[in-house]
Amino acid sequence: EAHDVKSRVAQKLALIEPESGNLPASIFTDPDLFYQEVRTLFLSSWQFLAHASEIPENGDFVTRVIGQQDVIVARGSDGEVRAFYNLCRHRGMRVCRVEHGNTPAFRCPYHGFTYRNTGELSGIPQEKSIFPNGRVDKGQLGLYPVRIEIYRDMIFGTLGSQVEPLEKFLGNMRWYLDLIVGRAPMEVLGPPHRWIVPSNWKIPSENFLTDAYHTLFSHRSISEIGMAPKADFAQSGYHVNAGGGHGRGIGSPADVFMFDEGLRSTFASALSADQVRVLESMKNAHGTVFPNLSFLVSLVKVDDRPISLTTIRLWEPLDVNQTRIWSWFLVEKDASADWKERSRQAYILTFGPSGIFEQDDTENWTDITQNLTGPAVEAKPVELLYQMGMGQHPLTDFAGPGDVYQGKYSEANARSFYRRWLDILTRGEGA
Ligand code: FES
Ligand code: FE
């Protein structure tokens, strides 16, 4: 059976060529390709786990996922951040069944094995009377560690032993990611919102990565009610292919400074002069870190006053047609209380689970997934169009790295994303 899947996957992948500007719809619907993604992609990339501000105190923890593996991220009693499989070494029960908290130890609910928040197995009920010679080697039975690395307070983890260091993985994307999560000390307010949508995970990932184009049409009503500027508000700016499947769009120029005026000196000390210039002229930002971490900075009007919001997104693959969305609201730690509250309101109103932009987007993603799945599609292979921006030359004078194109309407990032996706699935590289 495993061999059959392998050869079916190989045959299907051999037909895909992202640079042609056409992709088969099956990339969003084929269970074999999803199986291959779970076996390879999510084992060979860095996955975002948590923002350091979610676990500020010793003993704080959150439970997260890498691909389909449950993971605990904990700040140990020694102050160090670690991650572990949420899996008891006795029978494999989850040792932690809540989403966040503070604890010196995790006690397995099945038979009571107890693990310190640093991962070591510290206690086994009745150990002396039930194990040979009254003991087992507890030193060998700590929670399985997960390799983590931290960039700008963003904690990433990977299950792959061969995965390159995080900074190398992020590559040129670091320069652009800095504008989102490194422009000032940031904090996450509240636990992340999570909800499940019947969509393939790549549709939203690709939307944030490459698709400024939909804003004009899908979100037109928001412009019409005066919450966003008119007409081509989404087109002006830059399309950035940072390489490695990472990329973003930068809306520019700005009519107003998007951020808290009081923090200008903070931004200037956290960023390079070139980065500050891009930040100053930015009017929106969206992007994706390959494969499934996205971000967005959006400027909206609430009660007729402009305010921006920053959110990061994880598209967790539950099944080929099921995605759990994780959405964090981020704000500058040193922003004024008024700014933080208005920004949070703007987030809830626009991109929270019931936000008006979010509704527009989700309707498209779930409808596409359903519409591309089914017998008719199998009878007639469906091809989708990814040709926007083909042949366009990158700018030679943009301050940031990567291939940067004038104007945000392009699918260059999608072609680059699916190239890396295809290479990884084809090589079958994994843990
Ligand atoms: Fe955890 Fe038995 S499964 S103690
Ligand atoms: Fe949208």
Side-chain angles (χ1 to χ4, degrees), residues 8-17 33 36 421-422 425-427:
R8 283 205 306 271
V9 165
Q11 279 171 18
K12 289 169 183 174
L13 293 175
L15 300 173
I16 301 175
E17 201 200 330
L33 296 182
Q36 185 75 350
W421 173 89
L422 179 64
L425 266 64
T426 303
R427 280 201 299 274

Side-chain angles (χ1 to χ4, degrees), residues 198-332:
S199 166
N200 182 267
W201 67 272
K202 291 188 296 303
I203 300 174
S205 200
E206 172 198 297
N207 173 280
F208 276 61
L209 172 73
T210 207
D211 199 329
Y213 185 46
H214 80 287
T215 316
L216 173 67
F217 205 78
S218 277
H219 301 308
R220 177 193 297 238
S221 57
I222 295 164
S223 171
E224 284 170 357
I225 61 170
M227 276 189 70
K230 289 265 182 273
D232 71 339
F233 71 93
Q235 185 170 17
S236 65
Y238 306 96
H239 186 80
V240 178
N241 179 358
H246 315 301
R248 63 171 289 188
I250 302 174
S252 177
D255 302 323
V256 292
F257 185 59
M258 279 186 98
F259 303 103
D260 189 346
E261 288 284 349
L263 294 177
R264 279 183 186 272
S265 62
T266 307
F267 300 138
S269 60
L271 301 171
S272 72
D274 283 338
Q275 286 173 315
V276 168
R277 267 193 290 281
V278 173
L279 192 79
E280 297 258 339
S281 72
M282 199 163 90
K283 64 175 177 181
N284 58 58
H286 55 87
T288 292
V289 174
F290 184 87
N292 62 336
L293 172 68
S294 297
F295 58 80
L296 174 86
V297 185
S298 179
L299 183 72
V300 292
K301 271 192 186 162
V302 180
D303 296 334
D304 247 10
R305 294 164 74 195
I307 182 81
S308 70
L309 61 108
T310 301
T311 172
I312 51 180
R313 294 297 173 91
L314 191 74
W315 318 107
E316 179 194 346
L318 296 180
D319 205 339
V320 66
N321 56 4
Q322 290 273 308
T323 299
R324 187 183 345 250
I325 302 180
W326 294 67
S327 175
W328 289 260
F329 169 68
L330 269 165
V331 69
E332 292 86 348

Side-chain angles (χ1 to χ4, degrees), residues 12-91:
K12 289 169 183 174
L13 293 175
L15 300 173
I16 301 175
E17 201 200 330
E19 292 77 11
S20 70
N22 295 293
L23 284 164
S26 59
I27 60 173
F28 298 128
T29 59
D30 191 311
D32 288 342
L33 296 182
F34 182 78
Y35 169 85
Q36 185 75 350
E37 286 174 343
V38 171
R39 274 184 58 242
T40 64
L41 193 61
F42 292 100
L43 298 180
S44 65
S45 57
W46 285 98
Q47 290 283 302
F48 178 66
L49 290 173
H51 191 267
S53 67
E54 294 181 84
I55 47 170
E57 307 293 337
N58 292 359
D60 284 352
F61 70 88
V62 290
T63 49
R64 297 288 147 87
V65 284
I66 294 184
Q68 297 186 325
Q69 174 62 51
D70 280 35
V71 162
I72 301 170
V73 186
R75 189 180 295 277
S77 298
D78 57 358
E80 196 176 318
V81 176
R82 298 178 182 81
F84 314 101
Y85 281 58
N86 185 4
L87 184 154
C88 181
R89 295 292 304 274
H90 180 224
R91 282 292 182 284

Side-chain angles (χ1 to χ4, degrees), residues 63-201:
T63 49
R64 297 288 147 87
V65 284
I66 294 184
Q68 297 186 325
Q69 174 62 51
D70 280 35
V71 162
I72 301 170
V73 186
R75 189 180 295 277
S77 298
D78 57 358
E80 196 176 318
V81 176
R82 298 178 182 81
F84 314 101
Y85 281 58
N86 185 4
L87 184 154
C88 181
R89 295 292 304 274
H90 180 224
R91 282 292 182 284
M93 181 62 188
R94 285 188 177 83
V95 299
C96 179
R97 304 215 296 164
V98 295
E99 290 157 355
H100 59 93
N102 183 288
T103 185
F106 301 99
R107 175 170 295 163
C108 178
Y110 201 177
H111 312 92
F113 277 36
T114 302
Y115 302 85
R116 291 193 186 97
N117 59 16
T118 47
E120 299 98 27
L121 176 61
S122 58
I124 298 177
Q126 310 287 338
E127 180 183 1
K128 287 197 174 60
S129 59
I130 51 182
F131 284 98
N133 306 320
R135 67 183 302 275
V136 289
D137 187 356
K138 294 207 282 293
Q140 298 300 313
L141 291 169
L143 295 173
Y144 288 119
V146 172
R147 182 177 157 209
I148 61 165
E149 286 186 26
I150 303 175
Y151 184 75
R152 302 272 186 254
D153 282 343
M154 305 272 285
I155 305 165
F156 289 77
T158 182
L159 303 182
S161 50
Q162 306 299 318
V163 179
E164 61 199 341
L166 177 63
E167 296 216 355
K168 187 154 180 257
F169 173 81
L170 294 173
N172 286 337
M173 194 61 183
R174 283 174 299 167
W175 199 94
Y176 299 100
L177 202 52
D178 289 352
L179 304 180
I180 312 300
V181 298
R183 61 180 184 256
M186 304 293 284
E187 67 181 355
V188 164
L189 291 189
H193 282 123
R194 280 147 300 157
W195 65 104
I196 294 172
V197 297
S199 166
N200 182 267
W201 67 272

